[in-house]
Amino acid sequence: MASLQVSRLVLSSSSSSSIPKAAVSIPKLPKFNVMVPKIPIKKQTLSVKEQSFELESLPLPLKQRRDSDPIQRARLVAVLEEVMDRIEMHKNIGEQRNNWNSLLLSSVNMITLSAALMAGIASVNVHGGDSITAVKIASTVLLTSATSIGALMSKIQPSQLAEEQRNATRLFKKLRIELESFLRENEEVNEEDVKEAIQRVLALDKAYPLPLIGTMLEKFPGEFKPATWWPENKQRNPKTGLAKGWSQELEMEMREVARVVKCRDAEEYEKLGNVMLKLNRFLAISGPVLTGISAVSSVFTGQDSGLAGIVAMTCASLAAIVNTLGHGGQVGMVFEMYRNSGGFFSLLEETMKSTEKRENGQVFETKVALKLGRSLSELRDLAKRSNLSQVKANEFASKLF
């Protein structure tokens, strides 16, 4: 076996030596010696420094805005909370003063008519003795009380007080909607916005005060004056005051509408306001005077002549009628309505004539048309007709002179 393996190894070695070998010659590429300059590298310790944003390096307006935006927004939210509180207060007090009007009117009329009936009984039963004297005294006391209560009602005008609180509630609700819309649409709140909101709240407080003593509005002024519930119009920065949608044609249209409103509607409401003021003053004086005459006449009832009883009964009945017309008809409320309408026209005129346009022109035109009870086409036609009539009047005046 060993000899066989040795012979196999010899044969395999001889056969492998006889196989030709294929030699592949690969050309050698030339050597390029590229000299790369060495860059000296210093050992440095790389440290990452946090970038500090200091407010001192920022411009002053940006610095103030970053400092004050959250604070000013919180201040405006506080103003909004006060507005919501005032809405509730004016609403509750308005309901209370409306109850005053109805309850006091019913009480005064019942007292007056009861006392008139007693005065009539005392004048009929002349020889009644002590019972008639008691009736006379009761009638006099009741009529004196009715005179005092009537004079108090004429002084404070509960129906007018209730209308003042209703107007204040409506205007504060409008202010609340505007503040909520402003906070929802604007992320940045400036100090100027907060001051404007505070001024509007204080102007409403002054126009429609809550307390009766000391700050109550004059119910019988010398002449009719429209209500003023807005602060003095101060021009803001033009960059923040201008709005889109305004054109020269629209501005001329609004100015013409303001002139028409002033010449027609405002003057008409002023005349009606003066009429209601005089009527309210007459009724407010007549009621207590008639009740007082009736109280004095009731003292002399039961005499030989029945004239005192007739005067007492007649004046008491007339006083009840006058009180019903004055307080039941709510003449003071009507006067306050005209006063508020006059203030609305004054505000509309001031807003349209103002050079500051912070609201979109088309939106403002729509609001004006709705407040005046007209459509947009009717409002534009009104301005055009007024402008044409003004031009014709000027041409006629130029021909005359």
Side-chain angles (χ1 to χ4, degrees):
M1 292 294 292
S3 60
L4 288 173
Q5 292 179 354
V6 172
S7 61
R8 287 178 182 176
L9 290 172
V10 172
L11 289 173
S12 61
S13 60
S14 61
S15 60
S16 60
S17 60
S18 61
I19 296 173
K21 296 181 179 180
V24 180
S25 61
I26 299 174
K28 295 182 180 180
L29 296 175
K31 293 181 180 181
F32 296 96
N33 295 326
V34 179
M35 300 297 293
V36 179
K38 292 183 179 181
I39 301 174
I41 300 175
K42 297 181 179 179
K43 292 183 179 181
Q44 296 179 350
T45 57
L46 299 176
S47 61
V48 180
K49 295 182 180 180
E50 295 182 357
Q51 189 175 4
S52 60
F53 296 94
E54 296 181 356
L55 294 178
E56 285 76 7
S57 61
L58 296 174
L60 185 58
L62 183 59
K63 174 184 174 181
Q64 291 178 350
R65 189 175 61 185
R66 288 193 174 186
D67 285 342
S68 61
D69 275 351
I71 298 175
Q72 301 304 333
R73 190 176 186 85
R75 290 178 63 192
L76 193 60
V77 170
V79 174
L80 177 59
E81 292 175 355
E82 290 297 324
V83 169
M84 296 170 66
D85 185 57
R86 277 170 169 77
I87 291 172
E88 194 66 27
M89 285 193 298
H90 283 282
K91 180 182 177 182
N92 295 336
I93 292 178
E95 293 176 356
Q96 179 198 41
R97 291 174 182 176
N98 189 34
N99 292 334
W100 282 3
N101 186 52
S102 58
L103 294 175
L104 288 174
L105 176 61
S106 301
S107 301
V108 167
N109 283 343
M110 289 179 64
I111 291 172
T112 304
L113 294 176
S114 299
L117 181 61
M118 289 180 181
I121 293 172
S123 63
V124 171
N125 297 326
V126 179
H127 304 289
D130 294 337
S131 61
I132 297 302
T133 304
V135 172
K136 288 169 56 178
I137 293 173
S139 174
T140 304
V141 170
L142 288 176
L143 287 171
T144 304
S145 302
T147 304
S148 302
I149 298 174
L152 178 63
M153 291 183 66
S154 299
K155 176 66 177 176
I156 66 175
Q157 293 290 313
S159 64
Q160 187 173 347
L161 290 175
E163 181 65 16
E164 288 174 6
Q165 302 310 312
R166 283 191 286 266
N167 289 332
T169 303
R170 178 177 57 83
L171 293 171
F172 271 114
K173 285 182 178 179
K174 182 180 178 182
L175 179 58
R176 172 190 174 183
I177 293 172
E178 291 179 2
L179 291 178
E180 289 177 346
S181 177
F182 181 82
L183 288 171
R184 188 168 51 249
E185 295 175 359
N186 297 274
E187 297 181 357
E188 297 179 357
V189 179
N190 300 324
E191 186 177 1
E192 192 175 0
D193 299 323
V194 179
K195 288 182 178 179
E196 182 182 357
I198 293 174
Q199 288 176 358
R200 293 181 65 179
V201 172
L202 295 179
L204 279 172
D205 287 341
K206 184 179 180 181
Y208 302 103
L210 285 171
L212 291 178
I213 300 174
T215 59
M216 185 180 69
L217 296 177
E218 178 63 34
K219 297 301 182 287
F220 304 102
E223 59 181 1
F224 176 82
K225 292 183 179 180
T228 304
W229 61 83
W230 61 93
E232 183 181 357
N233 188 17
K234 296 181 179 180
Q235 299 296 326
R236 294 167 60 102
N237 187 358
K239 294 182 179 180
T240 60
L242 297 176
K244 296 181 180 179
W246 286 95
S247 62
Q248 186 177 3
E249 181 181 357
L250 182 58
E251 288 188 6
M252 294 298 296
E253 176 187 339
M254 290 294 102
R255 292 178 185 274
E256 193 64 31
V257 170
R259 192 186 65 81
V260 173
V261 167
K262 182 179 179 180
C263 295
R264 297 180 184 178
D265 297 336
E267 291 182 358
E268 181 181 357
Y269 272 83
E270 185 177 355
K271 292 179 181 178
L272 293 174
N274 283 317
V275 171
M276 296 308 298
L277 176 60
K278 294 177 181 178
L279 177 61
N280 192 29
R281 184 184 288 114
F282 172 76
L283 294 175
I285 294 173
S286 300
V289 168
L290 289 171
T291 314
I293 294 173
S294 179
V296 173
S297 300
S298 66
V299 176
F300 302 100
T301 56
Q303 303 295 332
D304 295 335
S305 175
L307 181 60
I310 295 173
V311 172
M313 293 180 64
T314 304
C315 290
S317 302
L318 290 175
I321 295 172
V322 169
N323 289 331
T324 303
L325 289 176
H327 302 291
Q330 299 189 355
V331 180
M333 182 272 292
V334 178
F335 168 72
E336 180 63 26
M337 182 188 67
Y338 283 123
R339 202 173 73 91
N340 185 75
S341 299
F344 161 73
F345 289 125
S346 299
L347 177 61
L348 191 63
E349 178 188 0
E350 182 179 332
T351 305
M352 287 190 291
K353 286 186 176 181
S354 175
T355 57
E356 181 186 9
K357 304 296 186 296
R358 300 183 58 202
E359 192 174 11
N360 186 278
Q362 296 178 356
V363 175
F364 182 76
E365 184 185 19
T366 304
K367 288 183 178 180
V368 171
L370 292 175
K371 287 179 179 179
L372 295 177
R374 299 174 182 269
S375 64
L376 288 176
S377 59
E378 291 175 347
L379 185 69
R380 291 164 184 167
D381 291 341
L382 175 66
K384 289 179 181 178
R385 288 198 302 268
S386 176
N387 192 15
L388 289 175
S389 63
Q390 186 70 17
V391 170
K392 291 180 180 179
N394 293 335
E395 290 178 353
F396 181 74
S398 63
K399 289 180 180 178
L400 290 178
F401 300 102

